[in-house]
Amino acid sequence: MSSKAKGAKKKKSDDPRQVVANNKKARHDYVIEDVFEAGIVLSGTEVKALRMGRASLLDGYVAIDHDEAWLENVHIPEYFQGTWNNHTPRRKRKLLLHRDEIDRLGVKSREKGHTIVPLRLYFLDGRAKVEIALARGKKEYDKRQTLREKQDMREAQRAIRQKELLS
């Protein structure tokens, strides 16, 4: 079987990030305007649960409170081998950002229609990081338009492949 055969595994990319969770819904529901990488303050059992690849960013958002950024409503399930000092799954977690980034995010997030959403949760050089984005909500017709464009692009690629196979 050749390396290009259908079903063959892809080579591991050169990206050193070990992605734990993605928020695909955020790219569908929002227009991403600016992306930031932030460290995240976690307890020991949270890190162990993340290393097992368990987390959900679906309902998560970032709030700026007293000049600090907080990741809220992100679900990191309890570590099943933890003891009585296990963490609560949906607690507020502090984000580590530079002061100017927090100020910029705070000003922009107060504008109408803007919010800060988590896009990815990953490990980089052994440290937990979260990729957050300043985003503006899409209207329903914008979401339909995006889906239509994706579908048109897929059909065009399919037609090109068919033409290449026939010639």
Side-chain angles (χ1 to χ4, degrees), residues 25-33 111-117 133-143:
K25 190 176 177 187
R27 294 196 187 273
H28 179 284
D29 292 342
Y30 300 100
V31 175
I32 307 300
E33 293 183 354
E111 292 178 10
K112 187 173 189 228
H114 285 83
T115 187
I116 309 167
V117 293
L134 179 64
R136 183 173 31 92
K138 283 185 183 178
K139 304 284 188 215
E140 195 63 38
Y141 57 84
D142 289 334
K143 294 178 190 178

Side-chain angles (χ1 to χ4, degrees), residues 2 11 17 27 35 38 45 47 58-59 82 139 154-155 159:
S2 70
K11 283 186 176 180
R17 298 175 184 164
R27 294 196 187 273
V35 177
T45 55
V47 174
L58 280 182
D59 298 329
K139 304 284 188 215
R154 268 196 304 267
E155 289 175 3

Side-chain angles (χ1 to χ4, degrees), residues 17-40 50 55-62 70-75 95 97 105 115-123 129-138:
R17 298 175 184 164
Q18 297 173 335
V19 178
V20 176
N22 275 317
N23 190 355
K24 294 178 184 177
K25 190 176 177 187
R27 294 196 187 273
H28 179 284
D29 292 342
Y30 300 100
V31 175
I32 307 300
E33 293 183 354
D34 205 359
V35 177
F36 299 89
E37 180 182 76
I40 183 168
L50 287 178
S56 174
L57 299 174
L58 280 182
D59 298 329
Y61 62 95
V62 176
W70 295 90
L71 184 63
E72 298 189 26
N73 217 18
V74 169
H75 187 266
L95 295 180
L97 289 163
L105 284 170
T115 187
I116 309 167
V117 293
L119 297 178
R120 288 193 300 176
L121 187 60
Y122 55 90
F123 284 99
K129 303 282 185 178
V130 63
E131 187 175 86
I132 59 174
L134 179 64
R136 183 173 31 92
K138 283 185 183 178

